[in-house]
């Protein structure tokens, strides 16, 4: 079927007009996206140990945040919760991890999270699968704190230890009928994963999840 | 005017791509059924073939079969649009075999090896552990090479043959689509950075470049199936490109609300993504309008039915279900819930599965020189059951998603406990049960679809001869 192109009377039905519009609109959107991306990349680049020492707030804090206490508190200015980095806190018995050591732990944890396919059951930052709880603020979840179900079950007395023991044998420490499978996570990988989870909890997610832990639903004591 | 076309090698290659696409579609559904059943009986294949593995293969097979069918559709259209055999078709055919071998190895490794130790080697050899982009790095590189061959085929052919509006859009779109894949091919320990670029691939594929690809297929399909006027169809195509890219590119902001990215994405994401349904309404109107203009006279019944389901499904799944959770005020409560899964199902099905199946019918008809191919009762059952099935799954998941939003998020503040309390709520589990039931309906529809694709040409020919 071939029709010869006839230039129509109105610009609104002209293919040339619309093909040019497509080019301009696409180009304009792409340029704007690239400009915004440059700004965003700047803001989401991981912070440094120095930033933490000097109390410089970063959207994505350095891995060295494992040396500090992290909380999630309501900010009047922002109108929602934000992570707050406080005093030093022990992480597997130490709070003096050098930046290089902390980075190595984070790297191990992130790699393990990919190799073990965590995201195809859990969500991280709300992205992933919906078969298991969101891990964004797992480090801060009441289930893992003193008095929560996980420390009791694993026979540990701190969040880091509880998570590490759990991750190495998750099918043995089931809190619900839907158990986490045994993924062959080693002690070293578990430590990395816990560092990864702690660092993730310190990321400024603009208040997601909202009202986190506001209503203490910990009915299963 | 005869519908028979010369036997182009490009179109033989298209048929090969379509064949593998259907096989992978079947694999996708089987894995979905396993995963859906594990929601109900979590001990099923526990520690043997875990939910994560089933789900990984489910969504990876989805992405790959759609890419196969898209590549197949392009190889199909190319000679008809340009009037010549595809340039470098031998290389293109070789690419097909290489790609299919790679996909087979990747799937076998997913199924047999499943997970690896936390090292770079696992990401290179087993799986990358990033939703939809799980393919290990070696395969990423292989895929890129084969896609480059494909892009070369398209460009060289269009340059040599006749150039139409359809092929111009196709070329530009393919470059963007292939280039975006590169944004997903690096490792970083910064999860925010990781997710930022991950969405460049996922969002800019499904809400920009793939949608434009659909625009191209609709344009081609309307011309072939209804003899619609090319000049008008191509004008629509350019308008669609304008609106799709104009809203979809910056609409990406709706994924940057909560991953650590700055707050200005709230406004940008809300504004542009709220405009995204507009072109989808446009595409719906366009198809209905052309149908009215040609009094519904079509030469390919099943393809036409699939195109209609596409027009509505794209509008509903992407447009309506997407809009429902795209404003940050709502998304903060639905983000990462079964609501998202409901939207994902209807959108991928409505926007892509439908039109690609329609293209397979177009190819079968023209390959066999059938002047008029009517729907068989199997064709009708297939399209009805699959559509009812996916729509049913979507509604079920949407209701489960609401329970999550209210109970897990609003009532219990998104804690670990809150999560499990919501997962156990009666209205949540009912949704999960219905999803499985509707998944079975979908699967029965799929079996009928396979039967129909394999037999409709013979039946139509027999009908024409009698
Ligand atoms: C055919 C086009 C589309 C497809 C195939 C599609 C598919 C998907 C999928 C699969 C996800 C989940 C991603 C994940 O696993 O994390 C998603 C998320 C999302 N989509 Fe779409 N989508 C389409 C169009 C749209 C449109 C047009 C809108 C808005 C008007 C939209 C709004 C959203 C939003 C807001 C999310 C994030 C959900 C969340 O926060 O969990 N989508 N989409
Ligand atoms: C037999 C039919 C099907 C069943 C039983 C099924 C089941 C499932 C299950 C259990 C999940 C995991 C959800 C979760 O993480 O909680 C899933 C995810 C997904 N499925 Fe299906 N599925 C089926 C068909 C389809 C079809 C036809 C499509 C698209 C054409 C599709 C696209 C998807 C997508 C995009 C996701 C990821 C959603 C997200 O992350 O938001 N599925 N499916
Ligand atoms: Fe999106």
């Amino acid at each position: 079927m071939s029709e010869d192109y006839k230039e129509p009377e109105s610009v609104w039905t002209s293919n040339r007009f619309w093909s040019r519009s497509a080019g301009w609109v696409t180009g304009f959107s792409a340029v704007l996206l690239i400009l915004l991306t440059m700004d965003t990349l700047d803001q989401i680049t991981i912070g440094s140990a120095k930033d933490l020492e000097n109390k410089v707030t970063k959207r994505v804090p350095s891995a060295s945040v494992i040396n500090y206490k992290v909380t999630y508190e309501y900010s009047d200015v922002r109108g929602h919760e934000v992570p707050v980095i406080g005093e030093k806190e022990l992480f597997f018995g130490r709070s003096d991890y050098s930046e290089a050591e902390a980075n190595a732990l984070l790297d191990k944890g992130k790699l393990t999270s990919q190799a073990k396919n965590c995201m195809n059951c859990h969500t991280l930052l709300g992205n992933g699968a919906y078969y298991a709880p969101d891990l964004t603020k797992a480090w801060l979840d009441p289930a893992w704190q003193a008095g929560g179900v996980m420390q009791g079950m694993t026979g540990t007395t701190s969040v880091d230890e509880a998570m590490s023991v759990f991750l190495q044998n998750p099918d043995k420490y089931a809190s619900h009928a839907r158990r986490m499978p045994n993924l062959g996570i080693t002690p070293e990988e578990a430590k990395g994963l816990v560092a990864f989870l702690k660092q993730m909890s310190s990321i400024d997610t603009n208040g997601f999840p909202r009202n986190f832990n506001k209503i203490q639903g910990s009915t299963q004591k | 005017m005869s519908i028979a076309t010369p036997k182009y090698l490009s179109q033989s290659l298209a048929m090969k791509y379509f064949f593998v696409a259907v096989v992978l579609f079947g694999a996708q559904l089987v894995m979905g059924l396993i995963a859906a059943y594990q929601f109900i009986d979590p001990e099923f294949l526990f520690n043997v073939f875990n939910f994560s593995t089933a789900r990984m293969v489910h969504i990876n097979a989805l992405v790959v079969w759609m890419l196969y069918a898209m590549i197949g559709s392009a190889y199909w259209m190319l000679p008809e649009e340009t009037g010549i055999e595809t340039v470098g078709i031998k290389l293109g055919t070789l690419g097909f075999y290489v790609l299919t071998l790679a996909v087979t190895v990747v799937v076998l490794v997913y199924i047999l090896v499943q997970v690896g130790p936390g090292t770079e080697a696992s990401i290179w050899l087993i799986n990358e552990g990033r939703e939809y982009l799980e393919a290990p790095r070696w395969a990423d590189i292989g895929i890129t090479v084969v896609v480059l061959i494909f892009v070369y085929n398209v460009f060289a052919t269009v340059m040599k043959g006749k150039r139409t509006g359809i092929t111009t859009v196709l070329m530009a779109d393919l470059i963007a689509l292939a280039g975006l894949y590169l944004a997903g091919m690096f490792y970083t320990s910064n999860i925010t950075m990781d997710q930022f670029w991950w969405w460049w691939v996922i969002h800019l594929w499904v809400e920009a470049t793939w949608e434009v690809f659909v625009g191209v297929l609709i344009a081609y399909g309307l011309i072939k199936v209804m003899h619609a006027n090319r000049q008008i169809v191509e004008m629509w195509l350019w308008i669609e490109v304008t609106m799709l890219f104009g809203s979809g590119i910056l609409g990406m902001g709706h994924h940057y609300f909560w991953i650590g990215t700055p707050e200005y994405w709230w406004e940008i994401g809300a504004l542009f993504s709220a405009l995204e349904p507009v072109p989808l309404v446009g595409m719906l109107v366009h198809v209905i309008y052309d149908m009215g203009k040609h009094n519904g006279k079509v030469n390919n019944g099943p393809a036409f039915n699939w195109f209609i389901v596409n027009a509505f499904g794209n509008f509903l799944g992407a447009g309506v279900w997407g809009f429902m959770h795209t404003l940050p005020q709502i998304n903060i409560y639905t983000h990462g819930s079964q609501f998202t899964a409901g939207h994902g199902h209807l959108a991928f099905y409505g926007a892509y599965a439908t039109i690609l199946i329609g293209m397979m019918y177009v190819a079968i008809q023209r390959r066999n020189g059938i002047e008029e191919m009517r729907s068989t009762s199997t064709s009708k059952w297939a399209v009805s059951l699959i559509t009812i099935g996916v729509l049913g799954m979507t509604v079920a998941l949407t209701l489960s998603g609401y329970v999550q939003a209210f109970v897990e998020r609003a009532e219990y503040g998104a804690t670990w406990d809150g999560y499990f309390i919501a997962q156990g709520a009666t209205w949540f589990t009912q949704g999960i049960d219905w999803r499985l039931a509707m998944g079975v309906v979908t699967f029965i529809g799929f079996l009928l679809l396979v039967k129909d694709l394999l037999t409709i040409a013979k039946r139509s020919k027999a009908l024409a001869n009698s």
Side-chain angles (χ1 to χ4, degrees):
Chain A
M1 212 161 94
S2 73
E3 289 119 348
D4 291 322
Y5 184 74
K6 300 182 287 300
E7 192 56 50
E9 305 85 63
S10 159
V11 63
W12 297 109
T13 51
S14 148
N15 286 26
R16 260 185 220 126
F17 169 76
W18 284 110
S19 65
R20 282 193 198 137
S21 306
W24 279 105
V25 168
T26 307
F28 182 75
S29 308
V31 168
L32 234 124
L33 177 66
I34 288 167
L35 291 175
L36 288 163
T37 294
M38 292 194 314
D39 180 76
T40 297
L41 290 183
D42 199 41
Q43 295 201 44
I44 64 176
T45 299
I46 200 160
S48 65
K50 274 258 151 31
D51 293 332
L52 291 170
E53 281 160 28
N54 299 334
K55 304 234 178 272
V56 176
T57 310
K58 284 280 177 181
R59 299 196 68 93
V60 183
S62 155
S64 298
V65 74
I66 58 173
N67 290 321
Y68 297 84
K69 188 170 176 63
V70 181
T71 51
Y72 196 49
E73 293 169 23
Y74 191 82
S75 153
D76 283 328
V77 182
R78 302 277 300 274
H80 52 71
E81 295 89 342
V82 288
V84 175
I85 296 161
E87 296 306 304
K88 287 263 176 160
E89 175 185 83
L90 292 181
F91 185 77
F92 292 98
R94 287 173 55 192
S95 64
D96 60 350
Y97 292 90
S98 71
E99 188 155 32
E101 282 175 310
N103 280 339
L105 279 174
L106 177 65
D107 195 48
K108 183 54 124 189
K110 174 68 169 24
L111 271 175
T112 306
S113 83
Q114 290 184 223
K116 302 296 181 191
N117 214 351
C118 305
M119 256 189 138
N120 268 313
C121 280
H122 294 275
T123 43
L124 309 181
L125 303 175
N127 296 327
Y130 322 116
Y131 192 67
D134 182 42
L135 297 180
T136 311
K137 304 288 174 198
W139 173 261
L140 305 171
D141 199 283
W144 293 99
Q145 314 301 319
V149 60
M150 300 315 286
Q151 286 192 18
M153 205 158 33
T154 52
T156 51
T157 52
S158 62
V159 180
D160 42 8
E161 294 290 349
M163 284 187 158
S164 168
V165 171
F166 170 78
L167 287 171
Q168 292 171 59
N169 280 299
D171 46 345
K172 296 221 173 71
Y173 301 108
S175 58
H176 297 84
R178 207 186 291 163
R179 292 184 288 162
M180 174 164 158
N182 192 325
L183 300 166
I185 295 171
T186 65
E188 188 207 358
E189 288 169 346
K191 192 172 173 187
L193 281 170
V194 181
F196 171 61
L197 291 171
K198 183 167 183 183
Q199 190 259 354
M200 183 158 60
S201 78
S202 75
I203 295 174
D204 182 346
T205 50
N206 293 339
F208 175 82
R210 179 75 95 237
N211 291 333
F212 180 68
N213 190 22
K214 260 300 155 45
I215 296 174
Q216 292 248 353
S218 308
T219 49
Q220 307 170 332
K221 291 265 160 65
Chain B
M1 195 180 68
S2 171
I3 214 155
T5 46
K7 297 272 177 197
Y8 289 114
L9 288 175
S10 190
Q11 298 193 327
S12 310
L13 178 56
M15 299 307 274
K16 292 193 178 78
Y17 269 106
F18 286 144
F19 179 81
V20 179
V22 174
V23 172
L24 287 169
F25 185 19
Q28 181 210 346
L29 296 184
V30 171
M31 292 294 153
L33 287 171
I34 294 176
Y37 184 67
Q38 285 172 328
F39 257 98
I40 294 164
D41 175 9
E43 293 301 307
F44 181 63
L45 297 181
F46 182 73
N47 272 343
V48 177
F49 196 78
N50 289 312
F51 177 88
S52 46
T53 305
R55 188 190 194 270
M56 166 168 69
V57 183
H58 178 59
I59 60 177
N60 238 223
L62 162 79
V63 172
V64 175
W65 88 252
M66 290 193 168
L67 286 173
Y68 260 73
M70 283 160 70
I71 295 175
S73 303
Y75 278 123
W76 180 269
M77 290 186 295
L78 212 48
E80 291 185 14
E81 285 293 303
T82 58
I84 58 168
E85 175 67 88
T86 296
V87 178
I89 189 64
K90 288 239 169 68
L91 191 60
T93 308
L94 181 69
F96 164 81
Y97 286 110
V98 173
L99 186 62
T100 304
L101 187 70
V103 168
T104 312
V105 174
V106 168
V107 171
L108 285 179
V109 171
Y110 283 167
I111 291 177
L112 299 175
V113 185
Q114 303 179 3
V115 294
T119 57
E120 291 255 7
S122 295
I123 288 175
W124 274 90
L125 301 175
I126 302 170
N127 87 65
E128 214 179 310
R130 295 166 78 212
E131 214 192 350
Y132 305 105
L133 307 180
E134 287 94 345
R137 196 63 49 78
W138 74 264
D140 283 345
I141 294 170
I143 291 167
T144 309
V145 171
V146 175
V147 168
L148 283 179
I149 295 176
F150 164 61
V151 171
Y152 152 75
N153 285 151
V154 174
F155 270 67
T157 313
V158 173
M159 293 306 165
K160 195 171 153 205
K162 206 168 82 209
R163 187 159 170 182
T164 63
I166 289 183
T167 51
T168 308
V169 174
L170 180 68
M171 282 198 301
D173 195 47
L174 284 178
I175 284 291
L177 203 161
L180 284 168
Y181 192 62
L182 302 178
M185 280 172 59
F186 71 101
Y187 167 78
T188 163
S189 63
N190 179 342
I191 182 76
T192 296
M193 196 64 89
D194 176 314
Q195 293 298 289
F196 182 85
W197 288 111
W198 180 79
W199 281 117
W200 269 63
V201 189
I202 307 305
H203 173 98
L204 292 181
W205 266 7
V206 302
E207 287 166 62
T209 48
W210 285 30
E211 282 282 7
V212 167
F213 199 95
V214 168
V216 167
L217 296 183
I218 293 176
Y220 168 87
L222 291 179
I223 292 172
K224 296 296 163 176
V225 175
M226 293 199 294
H227 301 304
N229 177 295
R230 175 177 289 270
Q231 196 167 322
I232 295 178
V233 164
E234 290 193 340
M235 180 188 80
W236 270 104
L237 179 57
W238 285 117
I239 296 175
E240 282 159 14
V241 174
T242 310
M243 296 198 293
L244 285 169
F245 281 148
S247 59
I249 292 177
L250 289 164
M252 186 149 62
H254 65 188
H255 302 298
Y256 294 160
F257 296 155
W258 327 114
I259 64 166
T261 35
E263 280 132 318
Y264 52 69
W265 289 108
W266 284 348
E267 285 80 16
I268 292 166
L271 176 64
F272 286 93
S273 72
L275 292 173
E276 283 183 44
V278 176
L280 306 180
V281 176
M283 285 156 100
L284 177 66
V285 171
H286 167 189
V287 171
I288 304 290
Y289 167 86
D290 261 352
M291 184 172 73
K293 224 177 130 200
H294 295 85
N295 299 322
K297 234 175 81 66
V298 297
N299 62 28
N300 187 329
F304 180 72
N305 288 342
W306 281 104
F307 286 172
I308 293 293
V309 178
N310 170 262
F312 282 98
N314 200 356
F315 165 68
L316 269 182
V320 175
W321 254 264
F323 184 79
M324 281 201 272
H325 61 159
T326 206
L327 299 178
Q329 295 88 335
I330 291 167
N331 190 261
I332 191 150
Y333 293 110
T334 58
H335 180 46
S337 67
Q338 294 295 342
F339 195 99
T340 314
H343 158 65
H345 278 87
L346 196 56
F348 261 111
Y349 173 72
Y352 302 121
T354 49
I355 191 115
L356 293 169
I357 296 170
M359 280 300 293
M360 293 178 195
Y361 277 107
V362 171
I364 287 174
Q365 175 201 16
R366 303 177 79 77
R367 193 70 182 158
N368 291 285
I370 300 164
E371 298 293 331
E372 191 179 338
M373 194 164 93
R374 298 241 179 94
S375 286
T376 64
S377 64
T378 316
S379 327
K380 288 180 197 158
W381 275 104
V383 64
S384 310
L385 287 182
I386 300 178
T387 305
I388 291 169
V390 177
L391 204 61
M393 287 196 292
T394 303
V395 171
L397 292 176
T398 303
L399 296 176
S400 293
Y402 270 114
V403 176
Q404 276 189 283
F406 286 122
V407 178
E408 170 194 325
R409 302 292 170 83
E411 200 180 341
Y412 284 93
T415 54
W416 198 275
D417 260 0
Y419 175 85
F420 282 108
I421 290 167
Q423 297 288 308
T426 311
W427 286 356
F428 179 93
T429 57
Q430 281 175 353
I432 293 300
D433 295 346
W434 276 104
R435 185 259 303 274
L436 180 62
M438 286 301 174
V440 172
V441 172
T442 309
F443 191 69
I444 295 170
F446 168 77
L447 295 177
L448 293 176
L449 174 70
V450 172
K451 175 175 174 235
D452 199 46
L453 289 172
L454 291 176
T455 55
I456 191 166
K458 248 200 206 118
R459 277 165 148 259
S460 302
K461 278 190 192 161
L463 208 71
N465 290 339
S466 67

